[in-house]
């Protein structure tokens, strides 16, 4: 827990939005976290992958009119 103190303040606005979506969205909701046109940063892609590996979201790459959009889809989190 001590390691996480101040981490949120170092995140970009887009990364904060992805985290907010990950924890606040309804199951099945989707969020575009990157597009091929606007460019995708390594940090947002890594954060999305980390959230996926934790079982919080599904990741989808979808064809758009000009390139691709990268979607995070909120999944049901199983409680132990």
């Amino acid at each position: 827990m001590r390691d996480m103190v101040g981490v949120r303040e170092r995140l970009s606005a887009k990364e904060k939005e992805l985290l907010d979506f990950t924890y606040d969205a309804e199951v099945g909701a989707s969020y575009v976290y990157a597009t091929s046109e606007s460019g995708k940063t390594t940090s947002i892609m890594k954060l999305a992958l980390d959230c996926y590996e934790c079982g919080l979201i599904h990741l989808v790459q979808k064809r758009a009119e000009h390139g691709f959009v990268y979607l995070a889809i909120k999944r049901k989190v199983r409680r132990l």
Side-chain angles (χ1 to χ4, degrees), residues 43-61:
S43 60
I44 191 74
M45 299 304 272
K46 178 160 178 12
L47 178 61
L49 186 58
D50 289 344
C51 291
Y52 166 76
E53 289 174 347
C54 289
L56 300 171
I57 58 175
H58 294 289
L59 299 177
V60 176
Q61 177 182 346

Side-chain angles (χ1 to χ4, degrees), residues 33 36 40 45 59-64 67-72:
Y33 64 91
S36 59
K40 50 193 185 296
M45 299 304 272
L59 299 177
V60 176
Q61 177 182 346
K62 190 174 182 181
R63 192 94 156 108
F68 294 96
V69 293
Y70 298 89
L71 298 165

